[in-house]
Amino acid sequence: MLKNQNKFLLNKRLEILKFFKKSIKRNGLRSDTIKLMSNDYDINENEINLLFPQGNSNIIKFTLDQLNNDLEKYCKKLNLIKLPLHKRIKKILLCKILLMDKEKDFYRKIFLSILLPKKNLSISNQLYNSVNQIWIIAGDTSVDFNYYTKRLILAGIYTRVLLFFFNNNNQDKLEEIIDTNLKRVSKIPELKLKIKLLKNNFPNILKIIKNFN
């Protein structure tokens, strides 16, 4: 019974997400998006608030969680285990870009949104969830300090890749950015140099916001 309830609620949330995407494409992401969505698509606003009590932040988090789930399902169809680790990471990054490319403008607006300070949604949490999922899909089993450094470094690379992707359509250059950064990571044995690489790759938040305007 509980399983059926959970499936029902998931389907209802996915249905709301469809209209959320339509509304963002039509009106942009606004503080009154839920009210607009309710009016434009004849959806009960109380139902939306019940399913997503924290409004836009809840729906955005649900959106990114679903994207991570879709990435995992997509990558399960690939024979990643035969690839060297850095090539696995590259392949997973490109798969995620491929999934986002189908609704690039929508995800661009979502990415900009999570850069802005919010009570219920932070870029650090969402970045961690994304890069952690990538490492899990890649088969990472580390449990020592490497567990954290891998995710910190990939967070910087991932952010830079997203920034380029949302502002350009050059696939070759995108792959070059991924290759260059992953190659550097594989050649760095010392933590001090890894931290330096992280600082060099993690873009300034104000610069990102400026590039989106």
Side-chain angles (χ1 to χ4, degrees):
M1 183 69 175
L2 182 59
K3 185 177 180 181
N4 289 337
Q5 285 180 338
N6 289 339
K7 187 174 181 180
F8 173 79
L9 290 174
L10 175 61
N11 288 335
K12 292 298 290 184
R13 289 189 176 100
L14 289 172
E15 186 180 343
I16 296 297
L17 178 55
K18 272 197 314 185
F19 291 111
F20 182 73
K21 288 180 177 181
K22 287 182 180 180
S23 185
I24 299 305
K25 291 172 186 175
R26 182 175 180 177
N27 306 303
L29 185 61
R30 300 166 37 153
S31 58
D32 60 347
T33 288
I34 288 178
K35 184 174 287 295
L36 283 171
M37 183 167 57
S38 174
N39 293 335
D40 290 344
Y41 304 107
D42 194 26
I43 308 171
N44 189 313
E45 189 174 348
N46 290 330
E47 182 179 345
I48 301 173
N49 291 328
L50 186 64
L51 292 167
F52 299 101
Q54 294 171 338
N56 284 351
S57 294
N58 263 175
I59 305 180
I60 291 171
K61 184 180 183 304
F62 179 73
T63 300
L64 298 176
D65 287 344
Q66 288 306 302
L67 178 61
N68 286 336
N69 290 341
D70 290 343
L71 176 65
E72 185 172 2
K73 291 175 186 174
Y74 189 88
C75 289
K76 277 183 179 178
K77 301 173 185 176
L78 308 174
N79 194 10
L80 294 175
I81 198 65
K82 291 187 176 181
L83 298 174
L85 184 58
H86 71 284
K87 289 189 177 180
R88 269 181 260 165
I89 295 295
K90 176 184 176 180
K91 186 69 174 177
I92 296 166
L93 283 171
L94 290 175
C95 287
K96 190 156 191 181
I97 292 298
L98 178 66
L99 291 174
M100 287 191 289
D101 195 45
K102 297 173 184 177
E103 298 176 291
K104 185 171 181 176
D105 188 54
F106 168 75
Y107 284 110
R108 182 178 184 274
K109 289 170 181 173
I110 293 300
F111 184 67
L112 174 59
S113 173
I114 66 172
L115 294 177
L116 306 176
K118 288 180 176 61
K119 182 179 179 181
N120 301 315
L121 192 71
S122 74
I123 185 171
S124 58
N125 287 342
Q126 297 310 314
L127 268 177
Y128 174 80
N129 290 341
S130 293
V131 298
N132 185 54
Q133 184 75 356
I134 290 170
W135 276 115
I136 289 172
I137 294 171
D140 177 53
T141 56
S142 59
V143 292
D144 56 7
F145 198 65
N146 257 343
Y147 175 95
Y148 301 100
T149 56
K150 283 178 179 179
R151 281 150 181 78
L152 282 171
I153 292 167
L154 186 56
I157 296 171
Y158 178 68
T159 306
R160 185 179 179 191
V161 168
L162 285 187
L163 178 58
F164 181 85
F165 165 67
F166 288 130
N167 287 282
N168 300 274
N169 294 310
N170 189 329
Q171 181 72 14
D172 290 338
K173 181 63 177 177
L174 180 69
E175 292 195 34
E176 183 184 322
I177 289 171
I178 294 174
D179 286 336
T180 300
N181 285 279
L182 289 179
K183 189 181 296 182
R184 286 175 186 166
V185 170
S186 66
K187 290 182 178 179
I188 294 179
E190 296 181 15
L191 176 61
K192 185 183 292 186
L193 292 178
K194 286 184 178 181
I195 298 299
K196 182 179 179 182
L197 176 66
L198 169 64
K199 289 168 69 176
N200 288 341
N201 277 287
F202 205 92
N204 183 283
I205 296 299
L206 292 178
K207 182 180 177 183
I208 298 174
I209 294 175
K210 181 180 178 182
N211 285 339
F212 271 92
N213 290 334

